[in-house]
Amino acid sequence: PPPPPPPPEGINFPYYAIAIACGAFLLLFLSLWAVMRRKNAYQTQITFAEREFARWQVDPKARRRSNLSGRQLTSLVQRAGCCGGDALDEESLTRSRARVVAAPSVPHDVFHCFVSHAWASGQDQARSVKGQLQRYVQNIQVFLDVDNLEDISRLGEYVGNSSALVVFLSGSSSPLGQPQSDYFSSANCMVELRAAVDQDVPILLVLETDPTHGGVPLEVHREACPDELAAAVFRHPPIPWHRLRDFQTVSLRLLIERLLTAWRVPGADRAIFIPSDRLLRPTPRLVTKRPYHFYHSPHNPGVELIVDMLEQAAPRRAAPLGLQLRRTSMSGLPLSVLRSTDALDHANPASVVCFLVYLHAETFSPGDRATSLTRELQAALHDGVPPPHRGPEMGRDGPRSPAIARD
């Protein structure tokens, strides 16, 4: 009988080759898709970081029409809408083209600034200063001991390899309750400070202002500073350091301007701005369903500026949802010209919604003005006028404020 046929060898060769090619193509496609997705995510992170960088103020004489693409214009319109802007004006377009503030190129072992601080009370904010500078200044190299210190005996060398010394002034309370400077009590801080003076490194002072986190008066630091260093250290006024975000943005802008001067960057005298600064946003319109009637005292210095800002934010004409601002005395009579008086008529306090008080370092400074303001606050509380809300500045003025204001 004839021999049996050979067993089948399975899939034919052409179909097997096509399957391999399809699998390879699919694998290549997935690999390219993963790479592009990762690249786009990285580019998005870079773009988001570039939006935060500080920028040079554009000269108004050099303004020109923008040649933005449709995507860029749409992005600007969306950002303007998110910030509460009514329209995308020429100023917003000009800011979008402003040049980013970048630190000059330096070797890898050289730093743009050295953050000097006392561990006892300034460690957390020194970390914050470094992080914020890296957030707002492109390519900046900041020395911080916990990140860059390799040998504590080389502190003077590290300071000499830095273009500026940022001194963070903080303090604490002594066992007797007296304020004292932690910075000038630190031996390592004194080594860094003397190295900066000896090597002619620019010194920038940053003063902690929160008394609950190491803030003491500048006079305490000045008295604790050695006499031979005082002239070089306090050559320029310190930059107040605030923890509230909007105020801290201003502190960082001032610090960056000082750093640009220390680096001798061309055009360092020009103004800069930080895109997240609230002052760059248009003033929001104030709306309410009823007239808003408040009283402000002529014995409160600076409150007139707040009133002017409120009037600018209020609608120009009366509307059902418009805010109508009226300045009055406690008697309900309009005051076209503010006048100082200690004898207020409290016969009709019901029309007053609240007592507007501007709290700052001089609000309750000892004197006749503070006494008159305290009397008005006592009279307003007695007549049922709601007191002002406790603001962030009250914590700083608390020890010096009268009990009626603190309570």
Side-chain angles (χ1 to χ4, degrees):
E9 298 182 358
I11 303 177
N12 294 333
F13 177 78
Y15 296 101
Y16 183 74
I18 293 176
I20 293 178
C22 291
F25 177 78
L26 180 61
L27 182 61
L28 179 63
F29 175 78
L30 292 177
S31 301
L32 291 176
W33 177 79
V35 171
M36 293 300 297
R37 182 178 181 181
R38 191 168 186 177
K39 181 180 178 180
N40 291 337
Y42 182 68
Q43 187 65 33
T44 302
Q45 293 178 0
I46 295 178
T47 304
F48 180 78
E50 289 179 349
R51 292 180 184 176
E52 298 291 327
F53 286 146
R55 297 176 181 270
W56 295 97
Q57 198 72 262
V58 179
D59 187 0
K61 297 181 181 179
R63 291 183 179 179
R64 297 175 297 178
R65 288 188 174 274
S66 174
N67 295 323
L68 300 177
S69 64
R71 178 180 298 180
Q72 291 173 326
L73 186 60
T74 302
S75 176
L76 287 174
V77 172
Q78 291 175 350
R79 275 187 282 169
C82 294
C83 296
D86 297 333
L88 188 65
D89 54 5
E90 183 182 358
E91 186 175 1
S92 300
L93 295 176
T94 303
R95 290 177 187 154
S96 68
R97 302 194 307 271
R99 188 163 54 93
V100 170
V101 174
S105 300
V106 294
H108 69 281
D109 57 343
V110 176
F111 297 90
H112 293 102
C113 65
F114 183 109
V115 180
S116 178
H117 63 284
W119 275 51
S121 54
Q123 180 65 31
D124 60 333
Q125 289 308 295
R127 165 66 67 184
S128 178
V129 169
K130 177 178 180 177
Q132 297 285 35
L133 287 177
Q134 291 176 333
R135 176 183 179 184
Y136 293 122
V137 182
Q138 191 177 37
N139 301 329
I140 189 173
Q141 299 292 333
V142 182
F143 183 96
L144 188 64
D145 51 6
V146 295
D147 297 333
N148 309 102
L149 182 62
E150 298 178 356
D151 187 358
I152 196 172
S153 63
R154 298 172 55 194
L155 281 176
E157 179 182 348
Y158 291 130
V159 173
N161 290 336
S162 302
S163 301
L165 181 71
V166 178
V167 175
F168 189 83
L169 297 176
S170 59
S172 60
S173 297
S174 65
L176 299 178
Q178 298 297 326
Q180 62 183 7
S181 175
D182 289 347
Y183 183 83
F184 289 100
S185 301
S186 172
N188 292 331
C189 291
M190 290 297 96
V191 171
E192 299 164 358
L193 197 59
R194 292 182 186 277
V197 174
D198 295 339
Q199 303 180 56
D200 199 21
V201 177
I203 299 175
L204 311 179
L205 300 181
V206 178
L207 178 64
E208 173 65 76
T209 58
D210 191 345
T212 62
H213 293 83
V216 298
L218 179 62
E219 290 75 14
V220 175
H221 296 289
R222 196 185 298 271
E223 293 176 359
C225 179
D227 296 337
E228 66 273 14
L229 300 178
V233 173
F234 296 96
R235 182 181 304 173
H236 302 289
I239 299 173
W241 180 258
H242 299 279
R243 293 175 179 256
L244 294 178
R245 180 178 179 181
D246 294 326
F247 294 99
Q248 191 177 99
T249 301
V250 179
S251 300
L252 287 165
R253 178 175 58 81
L254 297 175
L255 179 57
I256 295 172
E257 290 176 349
R258 298 273 186 92
L259 285 172
L260 292 172
T261 302
W263 298 335
R264 299 179 181 179
V265 175
D269 55 340
R270 291 170 48 195
I272 65 173
F273 69 92
I274 295 178
S276 59
D277 191 349
R278 188 177 294 272
L279 295 178
L280 298 177
R281 305 177 186 178
T283 305
R285 306 298 293 175
L286 302 179
V287 293
T288 181
K289 295 182 179 180
R290 57 178 175 79
Y292 195 76
H293 187 187
F294 64 88
Y295 170 76
H296 63 98
S297 172
H299 307 293
N300 188 186
V303 73
E304 276 292 328
L305 298 176
I306 307 300
V307 174
D308 293 340
M309 293 175 60
L310 289 174
E311 289 183 343
Q312 293 176 5
R316 297 295 181 181
R317 57 182 180 177
L321 297 180
L323 179 65
Q324 302 174 8
L325 298 180
R326 292 187 296 166
R327 309 189 200 184
T328 67
S329 66
M330 297 301 295
S331 61
L333 300 177
L335 288 176
S336 57
V337 179
L338 294 176
R339 58 183 185 273
S340 299
T341 176
D342 292 336
L344 296 177
D345 183 11
H346 307 286
N348 185 23
S351 61
V352 179
V353 175
C354 75
F355 194 135
L356 179 63
V357 180
Y358 178 40
L359 297 175
H360 53 86
E362 303 299 328
T363 302
F364 293 106
S365 296
D368 296 338
R369 189 164 52 186
T371 303
S372 301
L373 179 60
T374 303
R375 291 177 181 173
E376 291 187 3
L377 283 171
Q378 292 174 340
L381 294 175
H382 180 269
D383 291 336
V385 177
H389 293 287
R390 181 183 179 92
E393 299 292 331
M394 179 66 83
R396 192 185 312 168
D397 289 340
R400 196 167 56 183
S401 305
I404 186 69
R406 294 198 303 269
D407 296 340

